[in-house]
Each structure stands twice: as C-alpha cells, then as structure tokens.
Amino acid sequence: MVDHFDPKQAQRFEALIRDELAELQRLTEGTEADRAPVQLDQQSVGRLSRMDAMQGQALAQASGQRRQARKVALEMARRRLETGEFGECLDCGEPIALKRLEIDPAATLCISCAQRSAG
C-alpha cells in the first residue's frame, strides 16, 4: 500500500468503496421499472403521457449508465487498494491527498494532474 496509508485508513477507504457500491446496487435495483420499455398502447395512454414516459425512461437509462460507470471506477479503486497502488496518481505517481480520496475514493489523479488534464 502507498506509504501515507496506515491499515486503519485502508480499512476506512475499503468501507467507503463497499458502501458506495452497495448504494449503487440498491439504486439500480430500485429504478429497474423506470428503465423498462414504454408501452405504446394508444387506447390506455395519451400521446403526451407516452412522450413523458419515454422521456422519463431516457433519463432513467442515462442515470443507470452513470451509475454503471461509477461502479466500474469504484471496483478499479478497490483493486488498486488490494494491489497497493491506491492513492497514487496514475499520471505522476505522487500521492493523492487524503481529503481528495475521502471525497472521491475512485480518484485516480492528484489535484495538479487533474487540473492539467482539465485545461
């Protein structure tokens, strides 16, 4: 593990990652019906209601894709934690600030590299 982590900190990050993954799973299961295909039965639902339902479905699908991307990022963070690479900037190799990792345990870049890549 990166030098600036003690075992207690590593356990805390593991718990943060595990808890967020569980929450993402709960949200995914809770919105399954919202992402289902919209029924186009013109006898039971008016045109505007169908359009509203289709828009809701599109929003739910987009949210699901964002949750899936976050899940992948968190799983990669968990792997880095297991291999001892967690908290190292993927660009420069320097330690990522603990506060940054507490806010986003899936962070892969230090502040300097993140600012450079955004600009």
Side-chain angles (χ1 to χ4, degrees):
M1 191 156 338
V2 176
D3 294 348
H4 66 285
F5 291 121
D6 62 37
K8 193 172 187 176
Q9 288 172 319
Q11 290 173 348
R12 189 175 80 235
F13 285 117
E14 173 64 31
L16 283 172
I17 293 167
R18 184 183 59 244
D19 292 348
E20 189 173 347
L21 283 168
E23 177 66 10
L24 290 170
Q25 183 63 34
R26 187 189 67 74
L27 288 171
T28 297
E29 291 169 358
T31 61
E32 196 170 327
D34 295 336
R35 290 176 278 123
V38 175
Q39 298 297 325
L40 298 177
D41 182 5
Q42 293 185 9
Q43 300 299 323
S44 63
V45 180
R47 190 180 98 204
L48 292 177
S49 295
R50 280 193 315 279
M51 288 173 53
D52 188 45
M54 289 168 57
Q55 183 180 21
Q57 175 199 34
L59 289 171
Q61 289 173 339
S63 291
Q65 290 170 346
R66 284 190 300 277
R67 278 193 303 275
Q68 181 60 31
R70 181 66 180 170
K71 180 181 173 186
V72 169
L74 288 166
E75 289 171 347
M76 289 171 45
R78 181 187 284 169
R79 263 187 235 112
R80 286 192 305 276
L81 193 58
E82 292 169 356
T83 62
E85 298 171 349
F86 182 80
E88 290 179 6
C89 177
L90 294 182
D91 278 356
C92 70
E94 292 296 315
I96 299 172
L98 287 176
K99 290 289 184 187
R100 179 168 173 77
L101 291 169
E102 288 169 358
I103 293 169
D104 181 7
T108 58
L109 300 175
C110 67
I111 293 290
S112 297
C113 291
Q115 288 174 339
R116 208 170 325 142
S117 71

